Amino acid sequence: MFETGAVCVGDPTVPDIVDDPLGEPPIDPAGLEPPVDQSAFELPVLPADWLDADDCLSALAAAEQQIAMLYARQSRVIARFAELRREHPLRPTSEFAADELAAALSWPRWQATRRLADAEALTSRLPATMAALDVGAIDQPTAEGLCRTTVQVADPAVVHAVEQRALGPNPETLTSGQVRARARRAVAELDPHHADRHARATMQRRVTLVPQDDGMAGLWALLPAEDAVAIRDRLTALARDAGDDARTVDQRRADAFVDLLLGTPAQREVRVNLTVPIDTALGGNSPAELAGYGPIDADTARRLAADATWRRILTDEATGTVVDVGRTTYRPPAALADLVAARDQRCVFPGCTYPAESCDLDHTVSWQDGGSTSAANLGALCRHHHRLKHEQAWQLEQSAPGHFRWTSPTGRRYTTGSAPPRGRPSAGHPTRPESDP
């Protein structure tokens, strides 16, 4: 094995933590030691072919420790950014701060929102967790699990006690799942408002579409546990009553779920929006675009078109330009709205995937400022990003129909639309403010 002389980053200075009121040995942040031997820190940068099996394990452990340290650093920077996006120290961070992070880092907005919340928790409510990250004693999933489990606990003393109980004196010996399970038990035992939290949690119930590969998608529901169990048991009973055929139980459950919501195949009237290249409509193999999902293969597109009430949107294969919008939908929107929604396909803010057909149509140059109601001055914006455009210091230009350039409050620029990659800083425009000529 390789002998190296790397020096580990020094232990950080962290606040003192009082003894655990429950009597369990508490974590001592000042006494945390890096779980990896210091000599292993040079191994991740050596060519992999030079390492033996034990070196590989040491290099992986050292890399994990360094990733945890970088995550801690990143969390502090995110927390500082959040602080700068407060209009007043006693007010919460602006709801639009996550959008700046999302655009700058090519994150989906939900990820930026979560990272903001986690960073603020780690730097203000979970000092022992941050201290453990600083020396690589725990990893990112462990820290995130503690943030999630304690987010609804209002009493700082209870948060502190839960953190101590979850991490224990040797957090480096626990998996992220073990730490989160310990935290959940501690919350249930220590938080006097634990029962009330369930009532608040039910306010977050929702159903989410999760695109998968090969023309499939997941439909994920967050429900009260008793409702979720009852639905699962009901689907299982229907699957067992469906008769003995070649389908698996999972397949029968899935089919029963669809039949309950949509009726049997003969009863369904499905409306789907398909953006289809001309060559595919004529029998070619170019993929089509299913609104709210993404690309699907040509055969599936033709099958959907045959089985559903659908809006036919033909595009030029070479340019992607919309060349025809069908009018077979029930209560169709105006032709211009159809054209803009078909062109944009989704919200035109960097990285946003909200379907254009459910978006607001925004005047890039506002009507009161002389903007026209035309394809060259309209763009699809989800309600959240529509509000961001009008309530925050973001600027939006539409240099050509369907080509958008956003400028953030700090001067970073992002180009979206059909030509450049979505959500990436434009190659032709710097991500810092340009100097005046």
Side-chain angles (χ1 to χ4, degrees):
M1 295 189 295
F2 291 97
E3 296 294 333
T4 62
V7 178
C8 181
V9 177
D11 290 348
T13 301
V14 297
D16 292 332
I17 294 182
V18 299
D19 291 339
D20 181 13
L22 300 175
E24 183 173 348
I27 181 175
D28 178 10
L32 284 172
E33 294 289 342
V36 177
D37 185 271
Q38 295 184 12
S39 65
F41 274 94
E42 288 184 0
L43 291 175
V45 301
L46 296 175
D49 291 344
W50 293 10
L51 308 179
D52 63 22
D54 192 64
D55 287 331
C56 288
L57 295 177
S58 297
L60 289 170
E64 279 294 295
Q65 183 176 337
Q66 292 168 329
I67 290 169
M69 293 174 172
L70 288 173
Y71 177 75
R73 166 64 176 166
Q74 191 180 45
S75 295
R76 285 193 173 90
V77 174
I78 292 174
R80 171 59 177 162
F81 176 78
E83 180 183 351
L84 295 170
R85 283 295 176 262
R86 292 192 186 101
E87 296 179 0
H88 187 277
L90 298 180
R91 293 183 179 177
T93 301
S94 167
E95 66 172 298
F96 300 107
D99 299 287
E100 283 192 77
L101 280 183
L105 300 174
S106 294
W107 285 349
R109 184 172 180 272
W110 67 263
Q111 181 179 353
T113 300
R114 179 173 287 182
R115 287 298 306 273
L116 270 171
D118 289 352
E120 292 184 293
L122 288 167
T123 55
S124 62
R125 288 161 49 93
L126 299 168
T129 305
M130 181 62 93
L133 281 170
D134 277 325
V135 296
I138 62 173
D139 59 10
Q140 177 177 339
T142 300
E144 291 175 340
L146 276 169
C147 291
R148 305 287 182 279
T149 306
T150 59
V151 66
Q152 296 295 337
V153 180
D155 187 343
V158 174
V159 173
H160 170 73
V162 170
E163 182 184 40
Q164 294 291 315
R165 179 79 66 87
L167 293 174
N170 299 299
E172 70 277 5
T173 65
L174 301 172
T175 68
S176 59
Q178 289 172 327
V179 170
R180 191 162 189 179
R182 288 160 62 104
R184 284 173 175 160
R185 285 194 296 270
V187 168
E189 179 180 343
L190 300 173
D191 185 7
H193 305 292
H194 180 61
D196 297 336
R197 290 175 55 203
H198 173 68
R200 295 196 299 270
T202 62
M203 302 299 292
Q204 303 299 318
R205 60 192 184 277
R206 60 189 180 273
V207 176
T208 304
L209 180 71
V210 183
Q212 303 290 332
D213 295 331
D214 302 321
M216 302 294 285
L219 197 62
W220 181 83
L222 180 64
L223 302 169
E226 62 273 19
D227 291 341
V229 171
I231 291 171
R232 190 273 315 275
D233 291 347
R234 171 70 170 149
L235 291 174
T236 299
L238 290 172
R240 289 171 178 165
D241 294 341
D244 189 12
D245 55 33
R247 295 176 297 169
T248 66
V249 172
D250 281 339
Q251 290 168 344
R252 292 179 194 174
R253 268 195 291 257
D255 294 342
F257 176 74
V258 173
D259 290 346
L260 283 173
L261 291 177
L262 301 180
T264 63
Q267 298 171 325
R268 295 174 198 161
E269 182 177 337
V270 182
R271 176 177 181 255
V272 294
N273 292 339
L274 289 172
T275 302
V276 185
I278 290 177
D279 79 307
T280 301
L282 299 176
N285 292 316
S286 297
E289 184 86 7
L290 177 62
Y293 171 75
I296 60 173
D297 64 87
D299 289 339
T300 300
R302 284 187 284 267
R303 177 178 58 78
L304 287 173
D307 292 344
T309 299
W310 65 301
R311 178 152 60 98
R312 177 175 52 90
I313 304 169
L314 297 181
T315 62
D316 184 282
E317 182 184 8
T319 66
T321 303
V322 175
V323 296
D324 180 56
V325 177
R327 304 298 300 171
T328 60
T329 59
Y330 178 65
R331 292 183 181 178
L336 180 59
D338 274 350
L339 179 64
V340 173
R343 178 197 71 195
D344 294 343
Q345 297 187 27
R346 54 188 65 86
C347 172
V348 300
F349 187 82
C352 186
T353 59
Y354 200 77
E357 64 172 0
S358 300
C359 286
D360 299 337
L361 288 185
D362 169 69
H363 287 73
T364 305
V365 177
S366 65
W367 177 264
Q368 56 266 37
D369 291 335
S372 64
T373 303
S374 64
N377 192 51
L378 290 175
L381 286 177
C382 70
R383 182 59 54 86
H384 173 81
H385 290 124
H386 199 174
R387 289 179 50 235
L388 173 144
K389 174 177 179 280
H390 290 286
E391 297 177 18
Q392 300 293 299
W394 284 82
Q395 300 296 321
L396 177 60
E397 304 169 63
Q398 190 171 177
S399 57
H403 296 260
F404 300 87
R405 185 171 74 169
W406 291 85
T407 304
S408 78
T410 63
R412 291 174 177 264
R413 294 181 177 179
Y414 307 92
T415 301
T416 66
S418 57
R422 294 181 55 82
R424 296 285 185 180
S426 170
H429 306 287
T431 59
R432 292 290 183 186
E434 295 177 346
S435 301
D436 293 333

